Structure formats: structure tokens, C-alpha cells
């Protein structure tokens, strides 16, 4: 029997709608995002995929998405574990900035390096800045980053994967992970063995369950997994890639500079 893992990026947030870098800023879902989350749960029910346990970040856009999806699937009651290691990538000093204005100011190449390079973090946030999380009570005892690149997210996500998610899968549970664009990119990179270079081109759509069947070595039976609504996923992936209005040229340039 393969293991079943369901990944769900939160529905559109109010800051996704405004095109702002979000990171660890705890913003709510937009009305569209709430509808996407409910639709995600309906898809789970329609496809008869029944999570036994939920893992989420500490951010309300992932938490509320999971709640809405589980309500739609009539699974509100399943156990849940939340951890900062599933949080979005900390976007450092970019948090709260407009993506298009940032691209216009710094240029396509720098913008895409900050958004999609594997190992170049954005500038550190000032711990005293408005959108810093340094003093938030929910992170007491945890290391609060000042900025992270995707490599940093992989490094802090994988211990949680091995210590908490893998044991749930190995005990036969269907596991739902509700998280974020970049924390899920980190996990997909690991699952599919995507190179540091190629991960730049991967974007995760909002609110559409992505199902992985994994063999006993935790290798995907289908590389890339299966979106429960592939048509909507394609449109949403395109929208995510286009945030800031310069993705195609930017990604090509990034790919060329990283070869
Ligand atoms: C977005 C991802 O995170 O942005 O932090 O702005 O998934 O929590 O909405 P999410 C953010 P990009 O890396 O796609 O620009």
C-alpha cells in the first residue's frame, strides 16, 4: 500500500491579492481564498481522499484554509499539529513591500533572484521593524529568522518532515500538510529530487490539493504528484509565476545565470 500525502497551499491571502511580499506576516485569507479553501475540501471529499491528521504552520492563512477544507470534507475533527517549521519562507526586509514596485526598483534579475533563487536570501529585516516577528509570543523559544532563502527553508523543514510527518505516513495515516508557496516548494524539491537550479521554475497554486502517493522509500509513484483540479492548478500556477509581472523573462534569465 503506498503512503498518501496531501499538500495544500493556503487559499489566496489579502496580501497575495494586493501583490505584497508576505513571508511570516500573519495576514488573513481574502474572500476568494476562503472559497478556494472550501473548494479544496470539496475536491478531497469528491475524490474520497480522507486525511487522518493535519500538519500546519503557525500562520492563520494556512490554519484557516485547513479548517475550511476539512469542514467541507466533514473532517473538522481530525488531530492537528502546528509548527513554525512549516511557516512560509521569511522574506526579510521585503515583507510588506509591493512585488511590482520592488521589481521596478531593483530590476527583473534581482527580483527573481530574491523570489526564486535557491540560496540567495533577501536583505535581513530590522528586528525592530513593523513587520518583524522577533518579539511575537508564538515564537518564544524558536529561532526567528531575519530573512531566509529556499535553502534555509529546506534545512528547517526537513527535520519536521522526518520527525513528525514521515512517522505518521509510516503508521498508515493519510497526511494533510497545509502550508505555503515556499515551504511547500521546499518539500516538493525534496520529494521529487528537484535540483537547486530547476526548483526556480516551480510554483505552487493556491487552494488546490496536490496528492502524492509515496512508495515505502517515500519516493513519489508519480513525479510531481497529482493536482485534484489540474485545470485550475495550471491557471493558478501561471498567476503565481506572474506576480510582479516579469516572470517569464526573469526565470529564463535566472536559469541562464545559474547554469
Ligand atoms: C508568498 C509567496 O507566500 O510569495 O510570502 O509573499 O504562500 O504564504 O502567500 P504565501 C509570500 P512568492 O515567493 O511566490 O513571491
Amino acid at each position: 500500500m503506498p503512503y498518501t500525502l496531501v499538500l495544500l497551499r493556503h487559499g489566496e491571502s489579502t496580501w497575495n491579492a494586493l501583490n505584497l511580499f508576505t513571508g511570516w506576516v500573519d495576514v488573513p485569507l481574502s474572500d476568494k481564498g476562503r472559497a478556494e479553501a472550501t473548494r479544496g475540501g470539496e475536491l478531497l471529499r469528491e475524490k474520497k481522499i480522507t486525511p487522518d491528521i493535519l500538519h500546519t504552520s503557525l500562520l492563520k492563512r494556512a490554519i484557516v484554509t485547513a479548517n475550511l477544507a476539512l469542514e467541507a470534507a466533514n473532517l473538522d475533527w481530525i488531530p492537528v499539529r502546528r509548527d513554525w517549521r512549516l511557516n512560509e519562507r521569511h522574506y526579510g526586509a521585503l515583507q510588506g513591500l509591493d512585488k511590482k514596485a520592488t521589481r521596478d526598483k531593483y530590476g527583473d534579475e534581482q527580483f527573481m533572484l530574491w523570489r526564486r533563487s535557491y540560496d540567495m536570501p533577501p536583505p535581513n529585516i530590522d528586528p525592530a521593524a513593523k513587520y518583524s516577528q522577533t518579539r511575537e509570543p508564538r515564537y518564544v523559544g524558536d529561532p526567528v529568522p531575519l530573512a531566509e532563502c529556499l535553502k534555509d527553508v529546506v534545512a528547517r523543514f526537513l527535520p519536521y518532515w522526518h520527525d513528525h510527518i514521515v512517522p505518521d505516513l509510516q503508521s498508515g495515516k493519510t497526511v494533510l500538510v497545509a502550508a505555503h508557496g515556499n515551504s511547500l516548494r521546499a518539500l516538493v524539491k525534496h520529494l521529487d529530487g528537484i535540483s537547486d537550479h530547476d526548483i526556480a521554475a516551480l510554483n505552487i497554486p493556491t487552494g488546490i490539493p496536490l496528492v502524492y502517493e509515496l512508495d515505502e522509500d517515500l519516493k513519489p509513484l508519480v513525479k510531481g504528484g497529482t493536482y485534484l483540479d489540474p485545470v485550475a492548478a495550471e491557471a493558478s500556477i501561471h498567476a503565481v509565476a506572474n506576480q510582479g509581472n516579469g516572470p517569464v523573462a526573469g526565470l529564463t534569465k535566472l536559469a541562464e545565470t545559474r547554469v
Side-chain angles (χ1 to χ4, degrees), residues 9-10 16 22-23 61 88 91 99 115-116 180-182:
R9 180 180 175 190
H10 60 81
N16 293 147
T22 314
R61 55 195 189 274
E88 181 51 299
Y91 251 120
K99 290 182 184 179
R115 264 190 100 203
R116 289 294 177 262
H180 303 264
N182 292 296

Side-chain angles (χ1 to χ4, degrees), residues 100-252:
K100 178 161 186 333
T102 304
R103 174 185 164 237
D104 289 347
K105 182 169 177 186
Y106 294 98
D108 282 1
E109 186 169 356
Q110 183 61 70
F111 176 72
M112 291 311 293
L113 284 169
W114 279 336
R115 264 190 100 203
R116 289 294 177 262
S117 72
Y118 184 56
D119 53 11
M120 180 185 288
N124 281 350
I125 196 166
D126 177 343
K130 180 174 176 191
Y131 293 126
S132 161
Q133 284 68 47
T134 300
R135 282 180 296 281
E136 278 199 24
R138 80 188 82 177
Y139 302 118
V140 167
D142 294 326
V144 176
L146 298 177
E148 294 180 301
C149 58
L150 191 64
K151 187 176 180 182
D152 298 323
V153 180
V154 169
R156 52 107 154 147
F157 192 112
L158 286 185
Y160 188 86
W161 164 254
H162 292 298
D163 292 348
H164 297 292
I165 300 177
V166 168
D168 281 343
L169 290 167
Q170 289 175 331
S171 72
K173 293 188 173 87
T174 293
V175 175
L176 173 61
V177 176
H180 303 264
N182 292 296
S183 51
L184 291 176
R185 290 176 70 236
L187 179 54
V188 167
K189 181 181 191 302
H190 172 73
L191 291 173
D192 285 324
I194 299 172
S195 72
D196 298 356
H197 172 267
D198 290 348
I199 192 62
L202 182 85
N203 290 289
I204 307 277
T206 51
I208 302 170
L210 172 59
V211 179
Y212 276 91
E213 302 288 349
L214 305 173
D215 68 17
E216 57 187 29
D217 296 322
L218 301 162
K219 298 285 174 235
L221 299 185
V222 174
K223 205 171 158 82
T226 305
Y227 280 108
L228 295 189
D229 184 341
V231 175
E234 195 55 40
S236 177
I237 286 168
H238 193 67
V240 174
N242 273 301
Q243 283 186 313
N245 285 345
V248 178
L251 275 177
T252 308

